[in-house]
């Protein structure tokens, strides 16, 4: 655990779980500090697929191939009873499930992730390769769903699924991951 004191409040973070309750504004500030940025929605989705094309999930089209869980989502009757069949009631450790074809862990389920794009209901038909969102708006795009998603309520733990939130919002199931334009030295 790590304790981070802000004023009189001490926030505890499990170092192997995603960081949550991060607004889009704070995620951008962190990425900037780290010399990175938030991914665009198109980059996030491409990364989520891990090299697969036309598949619902990072691992294929079946949610539970061979009866195995590949993401941390709600099981049972939402919102009354989470049976925790995947082993987790809240967030799961980042490496709890196998990575996708690009080595990304927990890209769907576990925690929503901010992208850099402004929200609009439909993508522009003019941009088929790496579409960009509108140049302004009131909400930002988030992707990936979370541990609170269930098919009956929030079937958004699919690569193509999306939702939105205001840039100053945070939640117990909302985080981010960084993108970089230059490959870090440790990956070369």
């Amino acid at each position: 655990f790590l304790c981070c004191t802000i004023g009189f409040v001490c926030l505890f973070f499990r170092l192997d779980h995603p960081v949550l309750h991060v607004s889009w504004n704070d995620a951008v500030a962190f990425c900037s500090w780290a010399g990175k940025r938030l991914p665009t929605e198109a980059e996030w989705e491409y990364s989520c697929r891990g090299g697969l094309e036309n598949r619902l999930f990072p691992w294929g089209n079946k949610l539970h191939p061979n009866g195995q869980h590949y993401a941390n989502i709600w099981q049972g009757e939402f919102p009354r009873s989470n049976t925790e069949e995947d082993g987790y009631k809240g967030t799961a450790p980042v490496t709890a499930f196998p990575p996708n074809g690009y080595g990304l862990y927990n890209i769907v389920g576990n925690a929503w992730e901010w992208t850099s794009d402004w929200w609009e209901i439909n993508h522009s038909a003019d941009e088929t390769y790496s579409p960009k969102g509108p140049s302004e708006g009131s909400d930002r795009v988030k992707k990936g769903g979370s541990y609170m998603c269930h098919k009956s309520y929030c079937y958004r733990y699919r690569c193509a699924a999306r939702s939105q939130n205001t840039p100053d919002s945070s939640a117990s199931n909302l985080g981010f991951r960084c993108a970089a334009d230059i490959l870090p030295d440790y990956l070369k």
Side-chain angles (χ1 to χ4, degrees), residues 85-175:
E85 292 170 26
D86 61 12
Y88 304 97
K89 184 175 185 176
T91 61
V94 174
T95 58
F97 301 98
N100 72 4
Y102 291 154
L104 300 175
Y105 289 90
N106 277 326
I107 191 89
V108 297
N110 221 27
W112 283 100
E113 297 180 6
W114 289 113
T115 71
S116 62
D117 289 5
W118 287 106
W119 169 265
E120 68 180 343
I121 294 173
N122 298 310
H123 294 293
S124 168
D126 299 335
E127 299 180 40
T128 56
Y129 179 77
S130 193
K132 304 271 188 280
S135 59
E136 58 185 18
S138 59
D139 290 343
R140 294 288 186 170
V141 175
K142 59 184 185 174
K143 301 279 284 180
S146 80
Y147 67 91
M148 292 173 33
C149 287
H150 185 273
K151 190 172 183 178
S152 69
Y153 174 72
C154 171
Y155 188 44
R156 297 219 173 92
Y157 42 86
R158 298 166 289 120
C159 292
R162 57 203 296 264
S163 192
Q164 83 280 359
N165 227 330
T166 59
D168 60 349
S169 296
S170 73
S172 64
N173 64 342
L174 179 57

Side-chain angles (χ1 to χ4, degrees), residues 50-92:
L52 299 177
E53 292 184 24
N54 301 316
R55 297 292 181 255
L56 292 173
F57 309 108
W59 55 86
N61 281 330
K62 293 185 177 181
L63 181 58
H64 301 112
N66 301 317
Q68 297 294 313
H69 291 276
Y70 284 81
N72 179 20
I73 58 173
W74 191 282
Q75 295 93 44
E77 184 184 343
F78 188 85
R80 289 179 181 73
S81 171
N82 184 350
T83 62
E84 302 174 46
E85 292 170 26
D86 61 12
Y88 304 97
K89 184 175 185 176
T91 61

Side-chain angles (χ1 to χ4, degrees), residues 13-20 91-94 106 110-111 113 175-176:
F13 300 99
R14 290 194 56 182
L15 297 179
D16 58 347
H17 283 248
V19 174
L20 305 171
T91 61
V94 174
N106 277 326
N110 221 27
E113 297 180 6
F176 69 103

